[in-house]
Amino acid sequence: MCGAELKTLPEGVQRVAAVLAASGHPHAPVMLDDAARTAQQAADALGVAVGQIAKSIVFRRKSDEVAVLVVTSGDRRVDEKKVEALACPDGRLGRADAEFVKSRTGFSIGGVSPLAHATPTVVLIDQSLLRFDEIWAAAGHPHAVFQLSPQQLQSLSGAPLADLAVESVDGKQALQQAIGQVRQRALTLADGAEAPSPCISICRLDAGSGLCEGCFRTGGEIASWSRASDADKRRLWKTIEQRMDALTV
């Protein structure tokens, strides 16, 4: 990639491209025509299995406000207790909102790269990615990705491999667990408090319903969440609850 081409990329993608070039990585970032904010969207755009998407999940370490980034396979869900055990000696791991993610990593949710962060970040890699020879990671923008192997990801990031995923369950049980976790998050919808994100770190769109199997939102609703007003978020929460009710009938 020449200097002129690099300057035409979004700023976040330029940072990732520079790190890749400096490391001698053979694959530069690729700009997709459509946004790939979820693992399923990225997989569909690239024509690969959703498991080959190295999705980035960011948590907040409460003791020092450091970002903890877990890179896992697109068809896996992160077990927060396992992450706490490795990254938080005091056991205090919190959810990271859009503002925290942007300020600590320098990237917006939906385009968080495992590399080139704005501040020192704890990075952990889930061993489920080792199933694949080729994976794709976000490159600093919802439209940008880059190709690599799990071994190259570990080398570029300097991050350790660990078992960080929730044990796999059958489809019905997974649905019940997801609904239970989202309902638990709904309990924090108290008057006066900011509406929480319904995301439970499952980013996979159901081909039939078009809804995320983790938060029961559409791709468009996920993409617009960070820009929505609190009132709009609360209205969407009511829609999510109605969708969950219909799935449990």
Side-chain angles (χ1 to χ4, degrees):
M1 180 175 292
C2 69
E5 291 174 325
L6 186 60
K7 290 180 180 179
T8 65
L9 296 171
E11 189 275 334
V13 185
Q14 290 184 37
R15 296 204 328 264
V16 175
V19 170
L20 293 175
S23 302
H25 188 68
H27 302 293
V30 174
M31 297 297 294
L32 303 174
D33 292 334
D34 298 316
R37 295 180 183 275
T38 70
Q40 188 64 63
Q41 288 174 334
D44 290 344
L46 293 165
V48 300
V50 68
Q52 290 178 262
I53 303 303
K55 65 180 179 182
S56 296
I57 308 297
V58 181
F59 298 94
R60 177 172 62 90
R61 190 163 67 186
K62 295 181 179 180
S63 61
D64 55 9
E65 294 298 304
V66 167
V68 177
L69 188 153
V70 180
V71 187
T72 188
S73 185
D75 61 357
R76 294 291 189 268
R77 183 161 56 90
V78 174
D79 187 327
E80 294 184 29
K81 295 299 182 184
K82 292 180 180 179
V83 178
E84 277 186 342
L86 286 176
C88 303
D90 61 359
R92 299 178 64 221
L93 189 71
R95 292 274 173 176
D97 60 21
E99 182 179 356
F100 179 89
V101 172
K102 180 67 173 180
S103 66
R104 297 305 189 276
T105 70
F107 306 119
S108 299
I109 292 175
V112 178
S113 170
L115 313 169
H117 300 142
T119 65
T121 300
V122 176
V123 181
L124 303 171
I125 301 172
D126 179 42
Q127 63 187 25
S128 65
L129 286 166
L130 293 176
R131 295 173 293 156
F132 304 101
D133 295 326
E134 173 192 301
I135 59 176
W136 293 78
H141 187 276
H143 287 255
V145 293
F146 68 99
Q147 181 184 336
L148 72 171
S149 69
Q151 293 75 21
Q152 288 170 329
L153 173 61
Q154 188 176 19
S155 176
L156 288 165
S157 65
L161 282 166
D163 175 14
L164 301 170
V166 174
E167 297 297 328
S168 60
V169 295
D170 63 44
K172 184 175 181 180
Q173 186 179 355
L175 173 63
Q176 292 173 340
Q177 289 183 356
I179 288 175
Q181 291 183 60
V182 175
R183 290 197 190 284
Q184 188 67 33
R185 292 188 66 74
L187 296 177
T188 63
L189 277 166
D191 291 338
E194 183 180 355
S197 168
C199 179
I200 59 169
S201 302
I202 298 176
C203 301
R204 185 171 58 244
L205 293 180
D206 181 273
S209 67
L211 299 177
C212 174
E213 295 177 10
C215 65
F216 308 101
R217 293 176 293 177
T218 66
E221 290 167 346
I222 293 170
S224 63
W225 177 267
S226 63
R227 303 188 301 274
S229 67
D230 189 68
D232 286 339
K233 290 177 180 178
R234 290 179 180 277
R235 281 192 287 271
L236 180 53
W237 260 108
K238 291 182 179 179
T239 300
I240 290 170
E241 290 169 352
Q242 293 170 354
R243 289 168 179 169
M244 292 191 298
D245 287 342
L247 289 169
T248 56
V249 173

